mmCIF file of all heavy atoms in Angstrom:
data_model
loop_
_atom_site.group_PDB
_atom_site.id
_atom_site.type_symbol
_atom_site.label_atom_id
_atom_site.label_comp_id
_atom_site.label_asym_id
_atom_site.label_seq_id
_atom_site.Cartn_x
_atom_site.Cartn_y
_atom_site.Cartn_z
ATOM 1 N N TYR A 228 57.391 -11.594 -17.817
ATOM 2 C CA TYR A 228 57.345 -11.416 -16.372
ATOM 3 C C TYR A 228 56.481 -10.218 -16.024
ATOM 4 O O TYR A 228 56.148 -9.418 -16.880
ATOM 5 C CB TYR A 228 58.765 -11.229 -15.815
ATOM 6 C CG TYR A 228 59.658 -12.400 -16.111
ATOM 7 C CD1 TYR A 228 60.798 -12.247 -16.891
ATOM 8 C CD2 TYR A 228 59.365 -13.662 -15.633
ATOM 9 C CE1 TYR A 228 61.628 -13.330 -17.165
ATOM 10 C CE2 TYR A 228 60.183 -14.738 -15.900
ATOM 11 C CZ TYR A 228 61.312 -14.568 -16.664
ATOM 12 O OH TYR A 228 62.114 -15.635 -16.932
ATOM 13 N N ALA A 229 56.157 -10.081 -14.738
ATOM 14 C CA ALA A 229 55.281 -8.998 -14.290
ATOM 15 C C ALA A 229 56.068 -7.968 -13.497
ATOM 16 O O ALA A 229 56.793 -8.314 -12.565
ATOM 17 C CB ALA A 229 54.173 -9.563 -13.411
ATOM 18 N N ALA A 230 55.948 -6.713 -13.871
ATOM 19 C CA ALA A 230 56.508 -5.615 -13.081
ATOM 20 C C ALA A 230 55.347 -4.958 -12.350
ATOM 21 O O ALA A 230 54.300 -4.711 -12.937
ATOM 22 C CB ALA A 230 57.225 -4.607 -13.973
ATOM 23 N N MET A 231 55.528 -4.721 -11.069
ATOM 24 C CA MET A 231 54.452 -4.135 -10.269
ATOM 25 C C MET A 231 55.033 -3.194 -9.233
ATOM 26 O O MET A 231 56.210 -3.269 -8.903
ATOM 27 C CB MET A 231 53.652 -5.233 -9.582
ATOM 28 C CG MET A 231 54.421 -5.943 -8.492
ATOM 29 S SD MET A 231 53.659 -7.440 -7.965
ATOM 30 C CE MET A 231 54.356 -8.541 -9.155
ATOM 31 N N ARG A 232 54.210 -2.327 -8.752
ATOM 32 C CA ARG A 232 54.615 -1.396 -7.712
ATOM 33 C C ARG A 232 54.119 -1.948 -6.381
ATOM 34 O O ARG A 232 52.953 -2.255 -6.216
ATOM 35 C CB ARG A 232 54.007 -0.021 -7.988
ATOM 36 C CG ARG A 232 54.666 1.006 -7.122
ATOM 37 C CD ARG A 232 54.847 2.358 -7.767
ATOM 38 N NE ARG A 232 55.716 2.522 -8.886
ATOM 39 C CZ ARG A 232 57.041 2.664 -8.844
ATOM 40 N NH1 ARG A 232 57.676 2.577 -7.710
ATOM 41 N NH2 ARG A 232 57.727 2.884 -9.927
ATOM 42 N N MET A 233 55.052 -2.092 -5.442
ATOM 43 C CA MET A 233 54.705 -2.504 -4.084
ATOM 44 C C MET A 233 54.701 -1.230 -3.241
ATOM 45 O O MET A 233 55.746 -0.591 -3.073
ATOM 46 C CB MET A 233 55.708 -3.519 -3.536
ATOM 47 C CG MET A 233 55.749 -4.828 -4.306
ATOM 48 S SD MET A 233 54.203 -5.753 -4.260
ATOM 49 C CE MET A 233 54.189 -6.349 -2.591
ATOM 50 N N THR A 234 53.529 -0.857 -2.751
ATOM 51 C CA THR A 234 53.361 0.406 -2.037
ATOM 52 C C THR A 234 53.007 0.154 -0.581
ATOM 53 O O THR A 234 52.046 -0.559 -0.289
ATOM 54 C CB THR A 234 52.259 1.249 -2.714
ATOM 55 O OG1 THR A 234 52.598 1.414 -4.087
ATOM 56 C CG2 THR A 234 52.122 2.598 -2.055
ATOM 57 N N CYS A 235 53.774 0.756 0.299
ATOM 58 C CA CYS A 235 53.516 0.653 1.733
ATOM 59 C C CYS A 235 52.386 1.609 2.117
ATOM 60 O O CYS A 235 52.148 2.601 1.428
ATOM 61 C CB CYS A 235 54.781 1.018 2.510
ATOM 62 S SG CYS A 235 56.143 -0.138 2.276
ATOM 63 N N PRO A 236 51.707 1.336 3.232
ATOM 64 C CA PRO A 236 50.674 2.262 3.708
ATOM 65 C C PRO A 236 51.282 3.631 4.035
ATOM 66 O O PRO A 236 52.494 3.758 4.224
ATOM 67 C CB PRO A 236 50.150 1.591 4.980
ATOM 68 C CG PRO A 236 50.570 0.159 4.884
ATOM 69 C CD PRO A 236 51.830 0.148 4.073
ATOM 70 N N LYS A 237 50.428 4.635 4.130
ATOM 71 C CA LYS A 237 50.902 5.989 4.466
ATOM 72 C C LYS A 237 51.706 5.969 5.760
ATOM 73 O O LYS A 237 51.394 5.220 6.682
ATOM 74 C CB LYS A 237 49.715 6.942 4.611
ATOM 75 C CG LYS A 237 49.082 7.279 3.295
ATOM 76 C CD LYS A 237 47.998 8.312 3.455
ATOM 77 C CE LYS A 237 47.406 8.614 2.089
ATOM 78 N NZ LYS A 237 46.349 9.588 2.153
ATOM 79 N N ALA A 238 52.735 6.795 5.785
ATOM 80 C CA ALA A 238 53.640 6.954 6.927
ATOM 81 C C ALA A 238 54.532 5.736 7.151
ATOM 82 O O ALA A 238 55.200 5.643 8.173
ATOM 83 C CB ALA A 238 52.867 7.286 8.201
ATOM 84 N N LYS A 239 54.567 4.802 6.214
ATOM 85 C CA LYS A 239 55.452 3.636 6.304
ATOM 86 C C LYS A 239 56.376 3.639 5.086
ATOM 87 O O LYS A 239 56.029 4.141 4.022
ATOM 88 C CB LYS A 239 54.657 2.319 6.287
ATOM 89 C CG LYS A 239 53.598 2.201 7.344
ATOM 90 C CD LYS A 239 54.192 1.810 8.657
ATOM 91 C CE LYS A 239 53.079 1.581 9.678
ATOM 92 N NZ LYS A 239 53.551 1.625 11.027
ATOM 93 N N THR A 240 57.584 3.064 5.247
ATOM 94 C CA THR A 240 58.520 2.972 4.131
ATOM 95 C C THR A 240 58.987 1.530 3.961
ATOM 96 O O THR A 240 58.945 0.725 4.894
ATOM 97 C CB THR A 240 59.754 3.880 4.346
ATOM 98 O OG1 THR A 240 60.398 3.534 5.563
ATOM 99 C CG2 THR A 240 59.348 5.348 4.352
ATOM 100 N N TRP A 241 59.451 1.239 2.750
ATOM 101 C CA TRP A 241 59.942 -0.089 2.374
ATOM 102 C C TRP A 241 61.174 -0.442 3.209
ATOM 103 O O TRP A 241 62.082 0.365 3.364
ATOM 104 C CB TRP A 241 60.273 -0.060 0.884
ATOM 105 C CG TRP A 241 61.044 -1.219 0.376
ATOM 106 C CD1 TRP A 241 62.387 -1.404 0.449
ATOM 107 C CD2 TRP A 241 60.533 -2.349 -0.313
ATOM 108 N NE1 TRP A 241 62.736 -2.576 -0.148
ATOM 109 C CE2 TRP A 241 61.624 -3.185 -0.629
ATOM 110 C CE3 TRP A 241 59.245 -2.737 -0.706
ATOM 111 C CZ2 TRP A 241 61.478 -4.382 -1.322
ATOM 112 C CZ3 TRP A 241 59.104 -3.931 -1.397
ATOM 113 C CH2 TRP A 241 60.196 -4.739 -1.696
ATOM 114 N N ARG A 242 61.201 -1.662 3.727
ATOM 115 C CA ARG A 242 62.372 -2.149 4.459
ATOM 116 C C ARG A 242 63.072 -3.271 3.688
ATOM 117 O O ARG A 242 64.271 -3.262 3.535
ATOM 118 C CB ARG A 242 61.995 -2.640 5.861
ATOM 119 C CG ARG A 242 61.406 -1.557 6.730
ATOM 120 C CD ARG A 242 62.367 -0.393 6.874
ATOM 121 N NE ARG A 242 61.683 0.742 7.477
ATOM 122 C CZ ARG A 242 62.272 1.648 8.195
ATOM 123 N NH1 ARG A 242 63.565 1.594 8.401
ATOM 124 N NH2 ARG A 242 61.583 2.650 8.677
ATOM 125 N N THR A 243 62.297 -4.259 3.242
ATOM 126 C CA THR A 243 62.826 -5.375 2.455
ATOM 127 C C THR A 243 61.671 -6.102 1.797
ATOM 128 O O THR A 243 60.509 -5.802 2.049
ATOM 129 C CB THR A 243 63.662 -6.335 3.337
ATOM 130 O OG1 THR A 243 64.324 -7.293 2.501
ATOM 131 C CG2 THR A 243 62.800 -7.053 4.348
ATOM 132 N N GLY A 244 61.990 -7.052 0.952
ATOM 133 C CA GLY A 244 60.966 -7.809 0.257
ATOM 134 C C GLY A 244 61.291 -9.291 0.272
ATOM 135 O O GLY A 244 62.402 -9.708 0.608
ATOM 136 N N ALA A 245 60.303 -10.096 -0.100
ATOM 137 C CA ALA A 245 60.470 -11.547 -0.170
ATOM 138 C C ALA A 245 59.419 -12.088 -1.130
ATOM 139 O O ALA A 245 58.548 -11.351 -1.605
ATOM 140 C CB ALA A 245 60.311 -12.162 1.215
ATOM 141 N N SER A 246 59.514 -13.372 -1.419
ATOM 142 C CA SER A 246 58.504 -14.017 -2.264
ATOM 143 C C SER A 246 58.269 -15.425 -1.754
ATOM 144 O O SER A 246 59.078 -15.980 -1.011
ATOM 145 C CB SER A 246 58.948 -14.031 -3.726
ATOM 146 O OG SER A 246 60.134 -14.776 -3.873
ATOM 147 N N GLY A 247 57.150 -15.989 -2.163
ATOM 148 C CA GLY A 247 56.799 -17.344 -1.761
ATOM 149 C C GLY A 247 56.151 -18.090 -2.910
ATOM 150 O O GLY A 247 55.727 -17.489 -3.893
ATOM 151 N N GLY A 248 56.092 -19.398 -2.792
ATOM 152 C CA GLY A 248 55.536 -20.219 -3.858
ATOM 153 C C GLY A 248 56.542 -20.368 -4.991
ATOM 154 O O GLY A 248 57.755 -20.328 -4.774
ATOM 155 N N ALA A 249 56.040 -20.508 -6.208
ATOM 156 C CA ALA A 249 56.901 -20.706 -7.381
ATOM 157 C C ALA A 249 57.218 -19.392 -8.074
ATOM 158 O O ALA A 249 57.551 -19.367 -9.256
ATOM 159 C CB ALA A 249 56.235 -21.677 -8.344
ATOM 160 N N ILE A 250 57.086 -18.284 -7.350
ATOM 161 C CA ILE A 250 57.359 -16.953 -7.901
ATOM 162 C C ILE A 250 58.574 -16.365 -7.191
ATOM 163 O O ILE A 250 58.665 -16.401 -5.969
ATOM 164 C CB ILE A 250 56.138 -16.019 -7.707
ATOM 165 C CG1 ILE A 250 54.927 -16.541 -8.477
ATOM 166 C CG2 ILE A 250 56.460 -14.588 -8.099
ATOM 167 C CD1 ILE A 250 55.068 -16.526 -9.985
ATOM 168 N N GLY A 251 59.498 -15.818 -7.966
ATOM 169 C CA GLY A 251 60.640 -15.097 -7.415
ATOM 170 C C GLY A 251 60.411 -13.607 -7.611
ATOM 171 O O GLY A 251 59.571 -13.203 -8.414
ATOM 172 N N ALA A 252 61.138 -12.794 -6.899
ATOM 173 C CA ALA A 252 60.971 -11.343 -7.028
ATOM 174 C C ALA A 252 62.319 -10.652 -6.956
ATOM 175 O O ALA A 252 63.220 -11.098 -6.245
ATOM 176 C CB ALA A 252 60.056 -10.811 -5.934
ATOM 177 N N SER A 253 62.448 -9.572 -7.715
ATOM 178 C CA SER A 253 63.648 -8.745 -7.654
ATOM 179 C C SER A 253 63.239 -7.285 -7.718
ATOM 180 O O SER A 253 62.292 -6.915 -8.406
ATOM 181 C CB SER A 253 64.625 -9.094 -8.772
ATOM 182 O OG SER A 253 64.001 -8.973 -10.022
ATOM 183 N N VAL A 254 63.969 -6.460 -6.970
ATOM 184 C CA VAL A 254 63.687 -5.027 -6.910
ATOM 185 C C VAL A 254 64.314 -4.354 -8.119
ATOM 186 O O VAL A 254 65.488 -4.581 -8.424
ATOM 187 C CB VAL A 254 64.235 -4.424 -5.600
ATOM 188 C CG1 VAL A 254 64.045 -2.921 -5.570
ATOM 189 C CG2 VAL A 254 63.561 -5.074 -4.408
ATOM 190 N N LEU A 255 63.556 -3.519 -8.815
ATOM 191 C CA LEU A 255 64.049 -2.824 -10.000
ATOM 192 C C LEU A 255 64.553 -1.417 -9.690
ATOM 193 O O LEU A 255 65.347 -0.877 -10.446
ATOM 194 C CB LEU A 255 62.958 -2.763 -11.071
ATOM 195 C CG LEU A 255 62.484 -4.128 -11.589
ATOM 196 C CD1 LEU A 255 61.345 -3.941 -12.583
ATOM 197 C CD2 LEU A 255 63.618 -4.912 -12.198
ATOM 198 N N ASP A 256 64.090 -0.825 -8.588
ATOM 199 C CA ASP A 256 64.566 0.507 -8.210
ATOM 200 C C ASP A 256 66.007 0.417 -7.718
ATOM 201 O O ASP A 256 66.387 -0.535 -7.038
ATOM 202 C CB ASP A 256 63.696 1.101 -7.096
ATOM 203 C CG ASP A 256 62.346 1.571 -7.606
ATOM 204 O OD1 ASP A 256 62.226 1.825 -8.813
ATOM 205 O OD2 ASP A 256 61.420 1.687 -6.787
ATOM 206 N N ARG A 257 66.806 1.419 -8.061
ATOM 207 C CA ARG A 257 68.212 1.423 -7.631
ATOM 208 C C ARG A 257 68.367 1.759 -6.162
ATOM 209 O O ARG A 257 69.192 1.196 -5.470
ATOM 210 C CB ARG A 257 69.009 2.412 -8.466
ATOM 211 C CG ARG A 257 69.214 1.912 -9.855
ATOM 212 C CD ARG A 257 70.109 2.827 -10.611
ATOM 213 N NE ARG A 257 70.347 2.264 -11.925
ATOM 214 C CZ ARG A 257 71.189 2.756 -12.774
ATOM 215 N NH1 ARG A 257 71.879 3.832 -12.471
ATOM 216 N NH2 ARG A 257 71.357 2.185 -13.938
ATOM 217 N N ASN A 258 67.597 2.712 -5.684
ATOM 218 C CA ASN A 258 67.701 3.134 -4.297
ATOM 219 C C ASN A 258 66.323 3.046 -3.661
ATOM 220 O O ASN A 258 65.410 3.761 -4.060
ATOM 221 C CB ASN A 258 68.248 4.556 -4.205
ATOM 222 C CG ASN A 258 68.491 4.987 -2.785
ATOM 223 O OD1 ASN A 258 68.394 4.197 -1.848
ATOM 224 N ND2 ASN A 258 68.816 6.256 -2.612
ATOM 225 N N VAL A 259 66.176 2.183 -2.659
ATOM 226 C CA VAL A 259 64.870 1.995 -2.028
ATOM 227 C C VAL A 259 64.797 2.613 -0.640
ATOM 228 O O VAL A 259 63.729 2.659 -0.041
ATOM 229 C CB VAL A 259 64.508 0.492 -1.943
ATOM 230 C CG1 VAL A 259 64.366 -0.093 -3.318
ATOM 231 C CG2 VAL A 259 65.527 -0.267 -1.134
ATOM 232 N N ARG A 260 65.914 3.103 -0.159
ATOM 233 C CA ARG A 260 65.963 3.675 1.194
ATOM 234 C C ARG A 260 64.990 4.844 1.324
ATOM 235 O O ARG A 260 65.044 5.796 0.557
ATOM 236 C CB ARG A 260 67.359 4.146 1.516
ATOM 237 C CG ARG A 260 67.462 4.789 2.889
ATOM 238 C CD ARG A 260 68.860 4.884 3.294
ATOM 239 N NE ARG A 260 69.217 3.535 3.726
ATOM 240 C CZ ARG A 260 70.071 3.275 4.695
ATOM 241 N NH1 ARG A 260 70.674 4.248 5.288
ATOM 242 N NH2 ARG A 260 70.327 2.054 5.054
ATOM 243 N N GLY A 261 64.097 4.734 2.299
ATOM 244 C CA GLY A 261 63.160 5.809 2.593
ATOM 245 C C GLY A 261 61.993 5.927 1.619
ATOM 246 O O GLY A 261 61.202 6.846 1.726
ATOM 247 N N LYS A 262 61.855 4.976 0.686
ATOM 248 C CA LYS A 262 60.753 5.050 -0.283
ATOM 249 C C LYS A 262 59.526 4.321 0.234
ATOM 250 O O LYS A 262 59.627 3.274 0.869
ATOM 251 C CB LYS A 262 61.167 4.435 -1.620
ATOM 252 C CG LYS A 262 62.124 5.293 -2.393
ATOM 253 C CD LYS A 262 62.278 4.753 -3.792
ATOM 254 C CE LYS A 262 63.137 5.682 -4.632
ATOM 255 N NZ LYS A 262 63.248 5.212 -5.997
ATOM 256 N N ARG A 263 58.388 4.869 -0.085
ATOM 257 C CA ARG A 263 57.118 4.244 0.265
ATOM 258 C C ARG A 263 56.696 3.242 -0.802
ATOM 259 O O ARG A 263 56.051 2.243 -0.525
ATOM 260 C CB ARG A 263 56.051 5.337 0.417
ATOM 261 C CG ARG A 263 54.722 4.806 0.817
ATOM 262 C CD ARG A 263 53.719 5.922 1.097
ATOM 263 N NE ARG A 263 52.402 5.327 1.129
ATOM 264 C CZ ARG A 263 51.401 5.707 0.378
ATOM 265 N NH1 ARG A 263 51.520 6.725 -0.437
ATOM 266 N NH2 ARG A 263 50.247 5.092 0.455
ATOM 267 N N SER A 264 57.102 3.494 -2.044
ATOM 268 C CA SER A 264 56.688 2.673 -3.177
ATOM 269 C C SER A 264 57.926 2.213 -3.945
ATOM 270 O O SER A 264 58.789 3.020 -4.280
ATOM 271 C CB SER A 264 55.774 3.513 -4.077
ATOM 272 O OG SER A 264 55.358 2.777 -5.173
ATOM 273 N N VAL A 265 57.991 0.909 -4.240
ATOM 274 C CA VAL A 265 59.152 0.326 -4.904
ATOM 275 C C VAL A 265 58.673 -0.531 -6.078
ATOM 276 O O VAL A 265 57.695 -1.265 -5.964
ATOM 277 C CB VAL A 265 59.964 -0.530 -3.903
ATOM 278 C CG1 VAL A 265 61.091 -1.262 -4.589
ATOM 279 C CG2 VAL A 265 60.494 0.337 -2.779
ATOM 280 N N LEU A 266 59.393 -0.435 -7.204
ATOM 281 C CA LEU A 266 59.074 -1.228 -8.387
ATOM 282 C C LEU A 266 59.736 -2.599 -8.262
ATOM 283 O O LEU A 266 60.937 -2.695 -8.014
ATOM 284 C CB LEU A 266 59.556 -0.516 -9.653
ATOM 285 C CG LEU A 266 59.145 -1.138 -10.979
ATOM 286 C CD1 LEU A 266 57.632 -1.174 -11.121
ATOM 287 C CD2 LEU A 266 59.754 -0.349 -12.127
ATOM 288 N N VAL A 267 58.932 -3.661 -8.420
ATOM 289 C CA VAL A 267 59.404 -5.037 -8.246
ATOM 290 C C VAL A 267 59.028 -5.844 -9.483
ATOM 291 O O VAL A 267 57.962 -5.637 -10.066
ATOM 292 C CB VAL A 267 58.753 -5.663 -6.991
ATOM 293 C CG1 VAL A 267 59.113 -7.127 -6.841
ATOM 294 C CG2 VAL A 267 59.147 -4.893 -5.751
ATOM 295 N N MET A 268 59.904 -6.777 -9.881
ATOM 296 C CA MET A 268 59.591 -7.674 -10.990
ATOM 297 C C MET A 268 59.387 -9.083 -10.439
ATOM 298 O O MET A 268 60.244 -9.608 -9.728
ATOM 299 C CB MET A 268 60.703 -7.698 -12.035
ATOM 300 C CG MET A 268 60.362 -8.600 -13.198
ATOM 301 S SD MET A 268 61.474 -8.477 -14.604
ATOM 302 C CE MET A 268 63.036 -8.910 -13.903
ATOM 303 N N ALA A 269 58.240 -9.677 -10.771
ATOM 304 C CA ALA A 269 57.943 -11.057 -10.383
ATOM 305 C C ALA A 269 58.336 -11.973 -11.530
ATOM 306 O O ALA A 269 57.982 -11.729 -12.682
ATOM 307 C CB ALA A 269 56.453 -11.204 -10.075
ATOM 308 N N THR A 270 59.099 -13.013 -11.210
ATOM 309 C CA THR A 270 59.563 -13.969 -12.205
ATOM 310 C C THR A 270 59.171 -15.369 -11.765
ATOM 311 O O THR A 270 58.723 -15.569 -10.640
ATOM 312 C CB THR A 270 61.098 -13.899 -12.346
ATOM 313 O OG1 THR A 270 61.691 -14.226 -11.087
ATOM 314 C CG2 THR A 270 61.554 -12.518 -12.766
ATOM 315 N N VAL A 271 59.371 -16.329 -12.649
ATOM 316 C CA VAL A 271 59.129 -17.717 -12.269
ATOM 317 C C VAL A 271 60.377 -18.249 -11.580
ATOM 318 O O VAL A 271 61.492 -17.942 -11.972
ATOM 319 C CB VAL A 271 58.749 -18.590 -13.484
ATOM 320 C CG1 VAL A 271 57.432 -18.150 -14.063
ATOM 321 C CG2 VAL A 271 59.823 -18.558 -14.539
ATOM 322 N N ALA A 272 60.184 -19.010 -10.524
ATOM 323 C CA ALA A 272 61.298 -19.607 -9.796
ATOM 324 C C ALA A 272 61.474 -21.026 -10.323
ATOM 325 O O ALA A 272 60.662 -21.900 -10.057
ATOM 326 C CB ALA A 272 61.016 -19.618 -8.299
#
């Protein structure tokens, strides 16, 4: 699977995530509140 960093533009923070197509996604960071950059793992759906 692929682990990647999803980074919001400057002055923006992560609110939630989603996926589309045949790819699923899960957040690997324990606490995402107030973070600009979050580690996400893409898996096959």
Side-chain angles (χ1 to χ4, degrees):
Y228 301 118
M231 69 194 87
R232 193 144 294 278
M233 297 297 288
T234 305
C235 294
K237 288 185 180 179
K239 304 280 185 199
T240 57
W241 168 278
R242 298 302 168 152
T243 189
S246 62
I250 297 294
S253 56
V254 176
L255 298 177
D256 285 338
R257 288 186 177 187
N258 185 8
V259 296
R260 178 164 282 213
K262 287 191 175 183
R263 182 174 165 236
S264 180
V265 174
L266 187 61
V267 175
M268 181 170 59
T270 61
V271 295

